Amino acid sequence: MSIFGSTASANTNPNKSTEVQQPPADSVTSLCFSPKANLLVATSWDNQVRCWEVMGSGTNIGTVPKAAISHEQPVLCSAWKDDGTTVFSGGCDKQVKMWPLSGSQPVTIAMHDAPVRELAWIPEMNLLVTGSWDKTLRYWDLRQQNPVHIQQLPERCYALTVKHPLMVAGTADKNLIVFNLQNPQTEFKRIPSPLKYQTRCLAAFPDQQGFLVGSIEGRVGVHHLDDSLQGKNFTFKCHREGNDIYSVNSLNFHPTHGTFATAGSDGAFNFWDKDSKQRLKAMSRCSQPIPCSAFNNDGSIYAYAVCYDWSKGAENHNPSTAKTYIYLHFPQESDVKGKPRIGGSSSRK
C-alpha cells in the first residue's frame, strides 16, 4: 500500500489538464489572462514575468511562450489593462512595471516603501491601484510620476479585489476595507473578517453587491454589503482532508455564469455556486499546492499553477524535487453553470 500511495501522491496532473510549456523555474505567485485574447501571464519567485499564447481549439490546445521580463526581486502580482495591450506587475523590489506587449521595454510606473502585494487596473477611472505591505493603497495615473492619491490602510495589504465601483482590501489584521470608487479617498465600510484566521484572497461578486473572502484555515466567507441582505451571508469549509486543513489561495468568479472556483494548498480546485450553496464539481487533488489560478475572458479555460507555495518556509523547500507546473483545464458547462438548489442535484452528471 505504501508504494501505491507514494506513486499516487506524486501525480501533479491527475485531472489530465494541458501543461503550459516552459514554466517558471520557481513557484508561481499570480496568473492572469488578457481580457481580449488567450494570452496568459504568470509571475514568479524567480523574478520573472512571462507571457504565453494559448493556441488551438478543443483537445488540440497548445501554448507558445511569447515573451518575458525581469524584476530585480520576486514578482508577486500581475494585471492586464482592459484593452489587452499592456501588463502590470509588482513585487518585492517595491516597484510596479508596465510592460507593453508591442515589444517596447517595460518601464517602472509606481513605487512603494515595501513589497507590492496586489494591483488592479480600473478602466472606469483610467487608474491603476496598488496595494503594499507598506500599509497603503496608491492610485496611479499613468501620465504622472506621483500617485494621485495615497490611501492609508490599518495594516499590510494581503488581498485586493475590484469590480467598479466596489473595491475591497484585505489586511494583515483580518480587517476588510470596503471602498466605493465613486468616492475613492474615503473608506466606505470597515468589516471584521467573518473568518477567524488570516485573509488569503478576495473576489468581488460580479454584480458588485458583495464579495468572497478566503482564509488560511480552509474556509470561505460569502458576504453581502447591503444591511438588508446580511441574512444571506454564510461561511463554508473547503480544502480539508480529515484533520488536515489547508489554505484557500485563490478565488475566481466565472465570467459568464457567476459561479466561482476555489484553489488551495491541498492541491485541489473546486467549482461552486454561492446562490444555491452547492459545490458543482470537485477535481482530483494534485501532489503539490495550487497557489494561484485564473479564468480566461469567456470562462472556457481555467489556468492553475501546481508548485510549492512557501507556506512552510525555506526549510520545507527542496530545490532538487520542487518543480513548477502551470496547467490549463477546460471545464464542462455542467461544472461551472449554476443549478437550482431544490431538485437540481438529481440532474447533475
Side-chain angles (χ1 to χ4, degrees):
M1 283 297 288
S2 61
I3 296 171
F4 174 78
S6 61
T7 309
S9 67
N11 189 355
T12 58
N13 189 14
N15 299 295
K16 298 181 172 59
S17 302
T18 298
E19 192 173 335
V20 172
Q21 298 304 304
Q22 298 177 35
D26 204 337
S27 298
V28 180
T29 52
S30 75
L31 291 168
C32 62
F33 273 103
S34 163
K36 298 293 186 186
N38 281 333
L39 295 169
L40 176 65
V41 157
T43 58
S44 171
W45 286 99
D46 70 1
N47 304 3
Q48 296 270 308
V49 187
R50 291 172 177 81
C51 180
W52 296 264
E53 185 172 5
V54 182
M55 307 182 72
S57 61
T59 55
N60 299 315
I61 291 280
T63 53
V64 179
K66 293 287 285 182
I69 64 165
S70 296
H71 279 246
E72 293 166 22
Q73 291 184 37
V75 197
L76 301 178
C77 52
S78 55
W80 285 82
K81 207 171 176 201
D82 59 307
D83 60 8
T85 63
T86 306
V87 174
F88 304 102
S89 54
C92 295
D93 55 8
K94 309 174 192 173
Q95 301 180 31
V96 175
K97 291 182 184 281
M98 180 175 72
W99 179 23
L101 286 185
S102 59
S104 307
Q105 287 299 305
V107 291
T108 298
I109 53 158
M111 293 290 293
H112 276 267
D113 302 322
V116 180
R117 182 63 188 91
E118 292 282 354
L119 48 77
W121 175 253
I122 312 172
E124 295 85 354
M125 302 171 74
N126 222 29
L127 293 176
L128 183 74
V129 61
T130 55
S132 167
W133 292 340
D134 67 8
K135 305 181 186 180
T136 69
L137 290 175
R138 302 186 184 192
Y139 299 85
W140 306 86
D141 182 325
L142 303 183
R143 300 165 297 184
Q144 300 176 23
Q145 194 170 358
N146 295 316
V148 294
H149 175 62
I150 298 178
Q151 180 72 35
Q152 297 296 322
L153 295 173
E155 248 296 350
R156 289 155 289 165
C157 180
Y158 278 179
L160 184 72
T161 184
V162 180
K163 192 81 178 175
H164 190 272
L166 172 64
M167 180 171 75
V168 186
T171 67
D173 55 3
K174 293 188 301 172
N175 265 324
L176 302 170
I177 320 299
V178 181
F179 295 90
N180 178 347
L181 290 173
Q182 288 156 340
N183 185 18
Q185 301 189 13
T186 309
E187 286 185 21
F188 175 71
K189 192 183 276 191
R190 190 178 291 198
I191 301 166
S193 173
L195 309 178
K196 294 177 185 173
Y197 293 88
Q198 178 188 309
T199 300
R200 190 77 177 87
C201 47
L202 291 164
F205 292 178
D207 63 5
Q208 305 102 43
Q209 298 305 303
F211 58 88
L212 306 173
V213 53
S215 78
I216 60 169
E217 184 243 351
R219 200 181 286 265
V220 171
V222 179
H223 189 89
H224 297 76
L225 291 170
D226 193 322
D227 289 339
S228 67
L229 297 175
Q230 296 308 295
K232 294 182 72 175
N233 295 344
F234 65 97
T235 68
F236 65 92
K237 297 175 184 176
C238 52
H239 299 286
R240 295 167 176 231
E241 177 110 350
N243 293 323
D244 295 329
I245 298 172
Y246 298 88
S247 173
V248 181
N249 294 328
S250 191
L251 292 162
N252 308 108
F253 272 101
H254 191 279
T256 56
H257 295 310
T259 54
F260 66 94
T262 63
S265 289
D266 59 343
F269 59 98
N270 301 303
F271 300 112
W272 309 82
D273 179 4
K274 69 177 173 61
D275 299 325
S276 63
K277 299 185 179 179
Q278 288 186 79
R279 181 163 66 179
L280 301 172
K281 180 74 171 181
M283 306 304 295
S284 300
R285 282 177 63 177
C286 306
S287 58
Q288 294 188 90
I290 301 176
C292 52
S293 56
F295 281 111
N296 70 338
N297 60 352
D298 65 4
S300 62
I301 305 174
Y302 176 75
Y304 61 102
V306 177
C307 52
Y308 184 57
D309 62 0
W310 292 99
S311 61
K312 294 186 171 71
E315 63 271 18
N316 280 279
H317 178 251
N318 183 346
S320 64
T321 57
K323 191 166 186 297
T324 296
Y325 302 88
I326 299 172
Y327 292 115
L328 304 178
H329 173 74
F330 306 96
Q332 300 293 314
E333 187 174 42
S334 59
D335 297 346
V336 290
K337 192 169 184 181
K339 301 174 183 67
R341 190 171 186 186
I342 299 168
S345 58
S346 60
S347 65
R348 220 168 73 210
K349 292 189 176 79

